[in-house]
Amino acid sequence: MGLEAAAEHLKSLQAEQALHQEASDTKRSNQEEVIYHQWATFKVDNELYGVDVVQVKEVLRYSEITPVPGSDYFILGIINLRGNVVTVIDTRQMFGLSPHEPDDDTRIIVVEYNEQEVVGLVVDSVDEVINLPQNDIDRAPNATGEETTKRFVQGVCYYNSILIILLDLLKMLQSVTPMETGEEF
């Protein structure tokens, strides 16, 4: 093969490679990029709920909670967590469910409310951390006319054929924070 023939052959190989690269790029751009989000799941009254795992600081066994006189009905009281006072909220009361005696499965999920404050949520049990594709999450259905319960539901999703209610912690905690008076928990 002469020099000119080799140069022609090289050009044809480069053109063929460019065609394959272009087809590969087109195929990649036609595929939707799947974005996953991690959720920490827990149960309250046999329903599965999820919160953004980034907001969860830790999960504690249920322990003695010191009541705070004059606090709202959904605030169980406070706990001391390594020298920090943490307000503990009863999720059952917040969701309008019947009370439940704490048992071995009952946990307190400590979540970040804002940069200065953490809050404890008492739940019946903690499940697992799961990855959900963002496009599998549906908006919360308007099943009830009651704004109080759906205002902090971010969405719903099926995972292993089980419905998970995904909560927006910020909205949920703001809905129970006495913002108008400027008080803190």
Side-chain angles (χ1 to χ4, degrees):
M1 178 184 299
L3 194 52
E4 284 182 22
E8 262 324 292
H9 183 66
L10 184 59
K11 282 182 183 176
S12 69
L13 286 175
Q14 287 174 335
E16 191 175 316
Q17 185 180 10
L19 258 174
H20 285 296
Q21 183 64 39
E22 187 177 305
S24 176
D25 289 346
T26 303
K27 188 176 180 181
R28 226 179 281 131
S29 67
N30 287 342
Q31 292 176 348
E32 193 174 306
E33 186 176 323
V34 179
I35 299 170
Y36 284 85
H37 196 83
Q38 285 193 320
W39 298 89
T41 59
F42 58 89
K43 287 190 177 180
V44 177
D45 199 36
N46 291 319
E47 291 292 333
L48 195 58
Y49 294 89
V51 293
D52 187 342
V53 77
V54 173
Q55 294 175 292
V56 176
K57 295 301 164 204
E58 59 188 294
V59 176
L60 308 170
R61 287 192 164 284
Y62 186 86
S63 60
E64 196 62 36
I65 298 171
T66 305
V68 177
S71 62
D72 288 319
Y73 68 95
F74 51 82
I75 295 178
L76 290 174
I78 55 174
I79 58 172
N80 182 341
L81 183 62
R82 292 183 294 283
N84 295 316
V85 175
V86 177
T87 301
V88 179
I89 295 175
D90 184 350
T91 53
R92 285 179 155 271
Q93 289 287 327
M94 182 182 280
F95 297 165
L97 302 170
S98 61
H100 172 71
E101 278 300 312
D103 57 25
D104 287 342
D105 292 331
T106 305
R107 296 289 184 266
I108 299 172
I109 301 176
V110 179
V111 297
E112 185 175 289
Y113 172 57
N114 57 37
E115 292 173 12
Q116 296 85 29
E117 214 170 351
V118 292
V119 175
L121 302 173
V122 174
V123 299
D124 294 350
S125 65
V126 172
D127 206 55
E128 63 182 324
V129 174
I130 58 173
N131 286 318
L132 294 176
Q134 191 66 38
N135 52 354
D136 283 1
I137 298 172
D138 296 321
R139 290 179 52 100
N142 191 6
T144 91
E146 196 174 322
E147 280 294 311
T148 56
T149 53
K150 79 174 187 80
R151 69 178 163 206
F152 44 77
V153 175
Q154 183 172 327
V156 294
C157 185
Y158 279 95
Y159 180 75
N160 293 337
S161 302
I162 298 171
L163 180 70
I164 302 173
I165 301 167
L166 304 172
L167 301 174
D168 183 330
L169 271 180
L170 186 61
K171 286 183 182 175
M172 185 171 119
L173 295 174
Q174 284 176 341
S175 73
V176 297
T177 305
M179 301 286 272
E180 301 82 33
T181 61
E183 296 176 40
E184 294 186 15
F185 276 107

